[in-house]
Amino acid sequence: MTASVISAESIPGTGRAAQGAIELRQVSKHYGDVVAVDELDLTVQPGEFVTLLGPSGSGKTTTMMMVAGFEEHTAGTVLIDGRPVDSLPPRDRNLGVVFQNYALFPHMSALENVEFALRMRKVPRPERRQRAEEALGRVGLGKMGGRKPRQLSGGQQQRVALARALVFNPAALLLDEPMAALDKRLREQMQEEIKTLQKGLGISVLFVTHDQDEAMAMSDRIVVMKDGKIVQSGPPEEVYNHPLTDWVASFLGDTNLIPCTIVERNGEEAVVDLGGLGLAKVRDRGASGENYAVSIRPEHLKFKTRASAGNGCAATLVSSTNLGATVRHRLTAGGHELQLRELSSDQGTRILPDEELWVGWDADKAQLLVLES
Ligand code: ADP
Ligand code: MG
């Protein structure tokens, strides 16, 4: 067999058996007085792409390091495909790892760097070479195996790291901010390539980012972390459209937060009093706390005619800013400052300064949440 022939099991879409379930049960990590990860329960299903999203210091890297086996946890259990791995060293956990600071060896060629992962796992030499070449081919670097890392661009180096993580057919991939050092265009390209690879191989991925756009673009499920804990978890649209707290809503993008009092709760729906904005029907996910607000994303606020049905009220335009693809309008309505965002291409009639304005929103786009701050 020539070195460039890709074996059947590595061809995307040929679907090897689903594996790669990762489970954390009540996992904690303390560094002295610092609680980096606090009794975390987390599951990644075989083939699932799960993203840990949170600000710096929220415990994402520590969580990854414990799954990979580079850090020992203080309490709890980590299971891979149902087996506890707490006493296994990293290389016996069958996980491919790309960390931001998990650099390539500078004195080795790209091919030798990829081969190294197989050498560690005692794969015989001839097979090693062939599989390393296949893995480089899979990430589009088939012809660059002879280059040293310094002869490769940042994006190409990250591809080598990805090939090194995939070459031993791991059960799952752990990727900790793997694109953080790349510029925006390259990052978006790599995001798509990683998604394509992941779907083709049917491999599960535990991914870390602090970039909400990246999390939205890549994930089957987003796990939002804060202070070592999970604050919300769900499919991207679900977390974006139905945040449980003002912190989650604001961390995932711009939003209008309107303080409210609850008049009535009926399962998925609630009636709230929005003060100057009157009574409104909103979505309710059952979050409970002391103070409440309604979150409406700026793109879900719409200019309306007074006659149109549904939630809405009179508004005054404060300013309009063209941001290229979108226009951001600042308004006041019922004593609240609101942001409304529309596509530049949708911007219909020009708004005149003295014109009477009306803004509204669909009830299913307004989310009742708990005000933490
Ligand atoms: P993230 O990856 O979300 O930015 P980390 O997991 O790196 O967060 O860090 C979580 C918390 O644990 C932070 O408060 C950080 O300062 C602390 N921490 C991480 N590593 C160490 C360490 N080796 N020693 C002491 N504290 C640490
Ligand atoms: Mg980190």
Side-chain angles (χ1 to χ4, degrees):
M1 200 189 278
T2 60
S4 63
V5 173
I6 296 176
S7 67
E9 72 168 352
S10 68
I11 294 172
T14 54
R16 57 180 182 164
Q19 54 169 355
I22 299 171
E23 193 184 343
L24 284 80
R25 286 188 196 154
Q26 290 286 297
V27 170
S28 295
K29 177 70 183 179
H30 297 191
Y31 293 107
D33 288 345
V34 177
V35 183
V37 173
D38 196 4
E39 299 182 346
L40 207 71
D41 284 313
L42 173 70
T43 308
V44 182
Q45 304 292 347
E48 195 182 20
F49 196 116
V50 174
T51 297
L52 304 181
L53 173 69
S56 177
S58 56
K60 307 181 299 293
T61 293
T62 305
T63 302
M64 297 292 260
M65 297 292 262
M66 293 189 291
V67 175
F70 296 121
E71 283 284 2
E72 229 172 285
H73 38 283
T74 314
T77 306
V78 177
L79 301 102
I80 295 168
D81 286 325
R83 289 203 324 269
V85 295
D86 302 315
S87 57
L88 288 182
R91 88 174 77 113
D92 294 335
R93 296 191 180 196
N94 198 23
L95 299 170
V97 173
V98 181
F99 285 177
Q100 195 188 331
N101 54 2
Y102 195 61
L104 302 174
F105 297 113
H107 60 286
M108 289 186 195
S109 69
L111 190 64
E112 287 164 343
N113 263 285
V114 178
E115 263 194 85
F116 182 79
L118 296 172
R119 217 160 82 198
M120 299 266 294
R121 290 169 178 81
K122 313 254 187 291
V123 175
R125 199 164 204 288
E127 187 188 334
R128 230 155 62 195
R129 176 57 51 104
Q130 186 207 330
R131 283 174 61 181
E133 284 177 350
E134 283 168 11
L136 277 179
R138 216 183 283 158
V139 296
L141 292 178
K143 296 197 166 69
M144 306 221 182
R147 295 209 192 169
K148 297 275 167 61
R150 69 181 144 77
Q151 297 169 312
L152 296 167
S153 70
Q156 289 167 336
Q157 289 182 32
Q158 274 312 64
R159 287 202 182 100
V160 176
L162 199 56
R164 183 176 62 182
L166 284 168
V167 69
F168 52 90
N169 289 331
L173 269 184
L174 307 182
L175 307 175
D176 188 350
E177 311 229 15
M179 273 95 79
L182 307 180
D183 64 45
K184 187 170 181 292
R185 188 181 292 266
L186 200 50
R187 206 161 64 221
E188 286 172 0
Q189 190 188 333
M190 285 289 290
Q191 286 170 5
E192 282 172 25
E193 287 176 15
I194 288 176
K195 268 312 275 188
T196 306
L197 259 175
Q198 181 252 341
K199 281 194 196 140
L201 295 172
I203 195 169
S204 34
V205 174
L206 186 57
F207 186 82
V208 160
T209 185
H210 64 271
D211 178 333
Q212 59 274 27
D213 291 341
E214 191 162 281
M216 291 293 298
M218 302 195 65
S219 321
D220 295 321
R221 194 151 52 87
I222 294 178
V223 173
V224 186
M225 287 186 72
K226 185 189 177 199
D227 301 332
K229 291 194 180 73
I230 294 172
V231 288
Q232 190 167 351
S233 148
E237 304 74 29
E238 154 89 21
V239 180
Y240 182 81
N241 287 322
H242 305 292
L244 294 174
T245 69
D246 59 335
W247 188 87
V248 173
S250 303
F251 189 71
L252 277 175
D254 289 334
T255 198
N256 294 294
L257 289 169
I258 308 163
C260 70
T261 52
I262 296 174
V263 177
E264 202 181 301
R265 295 182 98 159
N266 306 309
E268 298 259 285
E269 225 174 58
V271 177
V272 296
D273 186 342
L274 295 171
L277 289 174
L279 293 182
K281 248 188 212 161
V282 297
R283 300 286 282 185
D284 186 359
R285 292 286 153 118
S288 86
E290 289 196 1
N291 298 302
Y292 294 91
V294 167
S295 161
I296 307 171
R297 299 283 180 194
E299 69 271 27
H300 292 146
L301 269 186
K302 307 281 177 205
F303 289 119
K304 299 256 173 177
T305 59
R306 185 170 199 145
S308 55
N311 299 306
C313 67
T316 309
L317 186 66
V318 177
S319 67
S320 298
T321 310
N322 194 321
L323 303 169
T326 60
V327 182
R328 182 184 61 212
H329 303 280
R330 293 194 189 281
L331 315 156
T332 55
H336 298 283
E337 289 178 18
L338 301 176
Q339 247 194 75
L340 181 156
R341 199 179 276 242
E342 61 181 349
L343 290 174
S344 306
S345 55
D346 285 353
Q347 206 184 4
T349 47
R350 275 220 168 277
I351 303 156
L352 302 170
D354 293 329
E355 202 174 352
E356 193 190 7
L357 268 183
W358 196 260
V359 289
W361 63 89
D362 294 338
D364 67 343
K365 295 292 194 283
Q367 178 66 40
L368 179 68
L369 50 69
V370 170
L371 263 185
E372 284 184 332
S373 38

